[in-house]
Amino acid sequence: MPTKPLERKPDWLKIKLTTGENFKEIKSMMRSKTLHTVCEEAKCPNIHECWANRTATFMILGDICTRACRFCAVKTGLPNELDLQEPERVADAALQMGLRHCVVTSVARDDLEDGGAMIFAETIKAIRRKMPMCTVEVLIPDFLGREASLVTVLEAKPDILNHNIETVERMSDRVRSKAKYRRSLELLERSKRIAPNIPTKSSVMIGVGEEWDELLQTMDDLRGIHCDIMTIGQYLQPSPTHLAVKKYYTPEQFAVLKEEGMKRGFKHVESGPMVRSSYHAHEQVQSASATNA
């Protein structure tokens, strides 16, 4: 059961709202193309900043997830039928936005035999056809551990393969639904084995009840499978029915975590209270590419 949240958010978690012309244009375009973004569906705190800068993370395979993770604001239930035209609409939107780096994620689709891997692959291919110079990052679910689904995505040659481990091992079953800590590590390890030149990335949200040494162990686990990029952000409770925040970390503590990650050999660590998996993703591509050149 959710517990009572901490009384007050610290000042460094205050969000600056910006709804200028870029923000309005992107919102209108998403509606006209019947596309979803994780920015909206997951109530990302950075949506105003990112949309004002004409960046967005597309969420494919609908907006209804088959899982009900205790931290996530995305709707859960019985998903709609597959939309086979969605990859082309995503590519058209990325072209209209003039993106240089495109991030594509999805809801979990455990109802599909391949978990939606084919739509991921077709989306990558569509973006490549229409925007050859645009790099593509995919943030994928675990596909219930199906290696064939991972291969389908990797064969489309994304520039970055991202899969979030979300939290430390002890907290994983409490925070996530169906996803397993070791299965997430296995997916990232398999990706490196199958496509060693494609950088891997993972993310954790902190403040859900983990201990400091557990965070360092998670870093060690990710580096043990040669994960290239790590992002670390503060968990924020999206509604009273979701998992409550146990701790607000200070910007100074996030800076220390970045140092710890870099010491362990990550090529890029994005660490801060408002950091989310796709935050400043375009700035991480060069670091990852240099690593795997």
Side-chain angles (χ1 to χ4, degrees), residues 24-287:
K24 294 174 183 176
E25 181 184 343
I26 289 176
K27 186 169 185 176
S28 175
M29 180 181 61
M30 295 298 176
R31 297 295 176 273
S32 68
K33 295 184 182 297
T34 61
L35 294 174
H36 304 286
T37 67
V38 76
C39 321
E40 291 182 287
E41 304 298 337
K43 299 181 180 179
C44 179
N46 302 309
I47 184 171
H48 295 86
E49 176 188 347
C50 292
W51 283 23
N53 291 323
R54 302 185 68 82
T55 62
T57 298
F58 297 98
M59 190 173 79
I60 61 174
L61 298 168
D63 63 344
I64 301 176
C65 187
T66 54
R67 302 185 186 182
C69 295
R70 296 164 186 86
F71 66 90
C72 185
V74 174
K75 291 178 287 189
T76 185
L78 184 63
N80 299 321
E81 293 183 6
L82 275 185
D83 180 355
L84 299 180
Q85 299 305 312
E86 189 174 45
E88 294 296 327
R89 294 203 311 279
V90 169
D92 286 340
L95 179 62
Q96 188 173 333
M97 291 170 67
L99 297 184
R100 290 179 296 173
H101 182 68
C102 185
V103 183
V104 180
T105 188
S106 77
V107 292
R109 290 296 302 264
D110 296 332
D111 59 311
L112 301 174
E113 186 175 350
D114 71 345
M118 181 268 289
I119 298 294
F120 264 107
E122 291 303 316
T123 302
I124 296 168
K125 293 173 185 176
I127 295 168
R128 292 264 191 256
R129 283 195 304 272
K130 297 183 180 184
M131 305 180 69
M133 302 305 292
C134 181
T135 51
V136 184
E137 174 179 334
V138 289
L139 170 53
I140 62 172
D142 62 16
F143 299 130
L144 292 174
R146 299 186 189 97
E147 183 167 335
S149 295
L150 176 61
V151 169
T152 296
V153 175
L154 291 172
E155 285 181 342
K157 294 181 170 55
D159 293 279
I160 293 180
L161 190 288
N162 186 351
H163 172 70
N164 289 342
I165 203 161
E166 304 292 8
T167 188
V168 302
E169 186 168 15
R170 179 178 59 86
M171 297 295 300
S172 189
D173 288 345
R174 174 168 169 74
V175 171
R176 308 163 86 194
S177 171
K178 294 187 181 179
K180 301 295 181 184
Y181 184 89
R182 291 290 158 182
R183 188 160 69 198
S184 290
L185 287 176
E186 184 179 67
L187 181 150
L188 292 163
E189 184 175 34
R190 280 177 172 172
S191 180
K192 276 295 185 186
R193 171 172 53 80
I194 296 165
N197 291 327
I198 296 178
T200 53
K201 174 179 172 181
S202 196
S203 177
V204 296
M205 53 184 177
I206 60 178
V208 296
E210 71 289 321
E211 299 292 338
W212 187 266
D213 62 336
E214 292 176 313
L215 288 172
L216 300 183
Q217 181 60 55
T218 301
M219 289 182 179
D220 290 338
D221 290 343
L222 289 170
R223 282 303 300 145
I225 55 168
H226 308 292
C227 185
D228 299 292
I229 301 170
M230 184 178 188
T231 64
I232 308 167
Q234 172 69 52
Y235 168 66
L236 299 174
Q237 187 179 24
S239 83
T241 62
H242 286 83
L243 197 69
V245 177
K246 295 292 186 181
K247 176 179 179 179
Y248 291 119
Y249 286 75
T250 66
E252 292 75 20
Q253 289 173 310
F254 278 102
V256 172
L257 285 171
K258 177 169 184 171
E259 291 176 6
E260 291 288 349
M262 295 304 291
K263 283 195 303 187
R264 283 163 168 77
F266 287 102
K267 304 311 174 188
H268 188 99
V269 178
E270 194 81 26
S271 178
M274 304 302 286
V275 167
R276 296 297 180 265
S277 183
S278 302
Y279 188 59
H280 290 172
H282 58 291
E283 297 176 6
Q284 302 164 17
V285 183
Q286 289 184 342
S287 297

